[in-house]
Amino acid sequence: MNLADLNKVARAMVAPGKGILAADESSGTIKKRFDAINVESTEDNRRDYREMLFRARDAMSEYISGVILYDETIWQKAKDGTPLVKLIEQAGAIPGIKVDEGTKPLPGCPGELITMGLDGLPTRLPKYYEQGARFAKWRAVIDIGAGIPSYAAIRTNAHALARYAALCQAAQIVPIVEPEVLMDGDHSIDRCFEVTEFVLKETFQELYYQKVALEGMILKPNMAISGKKAKDRAGVAEVAEKTVKLLKECVPAAVPGIAFLSGGQSDEEATAHLDAMNRIGNLPWNLTFSYGRALQAAPQKAWSGKAGNVAAGQQAFTHRAHMNGLASKGEWKADLESKKAA
Ligand code: 5MM
């Protein structure tokens, strides 16, 4: 492992003003997204949609540091035969790859999940590197509900995350470590804080045991946030303050950056929260975005599968990427939302 090179890639992924586009929806998830805009999820439509995003030159070169791809996409070519990976590189962004293989029920832990994909990973990683991937992603899913999460689920997922991260670094690939505590329930922000704190502590303990170099990784956590169905959801200032407190307690300063998931927040909420955290300032790591839905909901709607809407889709994507780029520097303002990028 060349740690200096891993660190260089990791720092570029969280460079101020830029963040990560999570375009790694698995076939099932992209189908759900396409169903919502009445587009059939064919290989060509998935290619056309992602090509539209990667060819949005201003967004990609100004505000996007890297793109997380799904296995199908990393091998795909644009309509004119250019590999999609090349489009990303030509825009100055770094290609990355989701290497987990989704979740399965965790035996002995009703209602809880374990992320699959460690088998064969040492063989897959060099192929992805050769194809251009310089970072990878693995997502563990922790749900909050009656009697969950269990210690067994937290521990098993943390172990798998660290195992994945160590394998990535051995293959000269920066691991994005994503332990996602879902915001699906009606829990309070304080319950989310408490669970996320436990999850992060356990994850960093496992990363330490398995000798993962913190300088060569990126953390992708959820924010400390109220559940979507909670009655009195915490406001922007409270989310920012509690998330920063949580991270300061759990994430060593050696980690170059933290790139949040959006997790079902509205587009503007996700931007406002990131901005408010960066306004607090004086943080040991760069804080940015690695959003899927909060970057793509608007371009998906604007595109709606029609070739004639490509420019509108790109404009919607550029606007969200711009807003989040500003938020990564604490320079976003709500009134910029009405001034759509040209
Ligand atoms: C893009 O969505 C990814 C999920 O893929 P699958 O569930 O299909 O495997 C997801 O991991 C994503 O990268 C993160 O959760 C961030 O996305 P959001 O939408 O939460 O910002």
Side-chain angles (χ1 to χ4, degrees):
M1 175 197 3
N2 179 334
L3 185 53
D5 284 355
L6 287 176
N7 178 254
K8 200 170 155 198
V9 172
R11 283 188 290 113
M13 289 162 68
V14 295
K18 292 191 175 194
I20 298 164
L21 166 64
D24 58 314
E25 298 84 358
S26 54
S27 309
T29 304
I30 196 74
K31 182 177 179 320
K32 269 191 236 155
R33 306 281 180 261
F34 278 13
D35 283 351
I37 51 170
N38 291 316
V39 174
E40 198 187 342
S41 184
T42 62
E43 200 175 327
D44 280 355
N45 284 343
R46 293 192 290 271
R47 189 270 319 275
D48 289 350
Y49 168 64
R50 286 166 170 149
E51 179 175 348
M52 170 185 84
L53 297 179
F54 306 158
R55 283 194 192 275
R57 199 59 192 223
D58 289 350
M60 292 293 295
S61 57
E62 301 284 327
Y63 315 118
I64 299 296
S65 57
V67 182
I68 315 174
L69 302 168
Y70 184 55
D71 179 76
E72 174 184 84
T73 322
I74 201 168
W75 308 105
Q76 258 174 341
K77 291 193 165 109
K79 253 194 183 138
D80 68 0
T82 312
L84 292 183
V85 167
K86 284 278 162 286
L87 295 184
I88 296 169
E89 289 170 345
Q90 281 162 6
I94 311 169
I97 180 77
K98 183 228 291 291
V99 299
D100 69 64
E101 293 174 339
T103 55
K104 287 266 192 284
L106 179 61
C109 299
E112 297 191 280
L113 301 168
I114 178 69
T115 303
M116 309 300 287
L118 288 172
D119 288 349
L121 187 55
T123 316
R124 288 191 283 138
L125 288 170
K127 293 181 189 153
Y128 287 139
Y129 185 95
E130 207 177 309
Q131 191 63 12
R134 292 295 176 267
F135 68 91
K137 193 201 87 172
W138 179 288
R139 172 173 170 257
V141 182
I142 303 292
D143 203 358
I144 299 180
I148 60 170
S150 66
Y151 180 54
I154 294 172
R155 178 97 197 266
T156 317
N157 275 291
H159 185 275
L161 272 169
R163 180 97 185 92
Y164 137 83
L167 288 168
C168 284
Q169 291 190 336
Q172 207 50 43
I173 288 179
V174 172
I176 294 184
V177 172
E178 182 182 6
E180 176 172 6
V181 176
L182 298 177
M183 61 178 288
D184 290 345
D186 60 1
H187 52 269
S188 66
I189 184 170
D190 291 332
R191 177 70 180 138
C192 173
F193 185 111
E194 176 183 58
V195 171
T196 308
E197 181 179 29
F198 201 101
V199 168
L200 290 177
K201 294 265 184 209
E202 205 62 31
T203 302
F204 278 98
Q205 192 64 41
E206 278 297 338
L207 291 167
Y208 172 68
Y209 286 151
Q210 297 190 42
K211 303 185 188 305
V212 173
L214 299 182
E215 296 82 356
M217 64 161 273
I218 297 295
L219 179 71
K220 175 165 175 170
N222 53 284
M223 298 174 192
I225 195 166
S226 316
K228 264 186 253 172
K229 296 181 211 137
K231 282 207 183 84
D232 293 309
R233 301 192 66 227
V236 173
E238 188 178 355
V239 168
E241 188 196 306
K242 289 190 169 162
T243 304
V244 166
K245 178 173 157 51
L246 168 70
L247 295 173
K248 280 188 172 169
E249 283 171 13
C250 302
V251 186
V255 173
I258 295 174
F260 292 100
L261 58 93
S262 58
Q265 301 177 45
S266 73
D267 296 357
E268 214 169 307
E269 243 182 349
T271 305
H273 289 151
L274 177 63
D275 180 69
M277 282 185 249
N278 279 308
R279 280 176 193 270
I280 292 173
N282 209 10
L283 306 168
W285 354 254
N286 288 353
L287 288 190
T288 190
F289 58 92
S290 174
Y291 294 160
R293 283 164 285 181
L295 272 177
Q296 295 188 63
Q300 274 162 12
K301 206 166 156 209
W303 172 64
S304 289
K306 298 193 173 68
N309 290 341
V310 163
Q314 289 177 326
Q315 188 180 327
F317 173 48
T318 304
H319 177 69
R320 284 269 45 88
H322 183 201
M323 294 299 101
N324 287 304
L326 290 172
S328 77
K329 298 185 286 187
E331 293 174 4
W332 173 80
K333 288 192 191 77
D335 62 8
L336 294 171
E337 288 294 342
S338 48
K339 300 173 193 150
K340 299 271 185 243

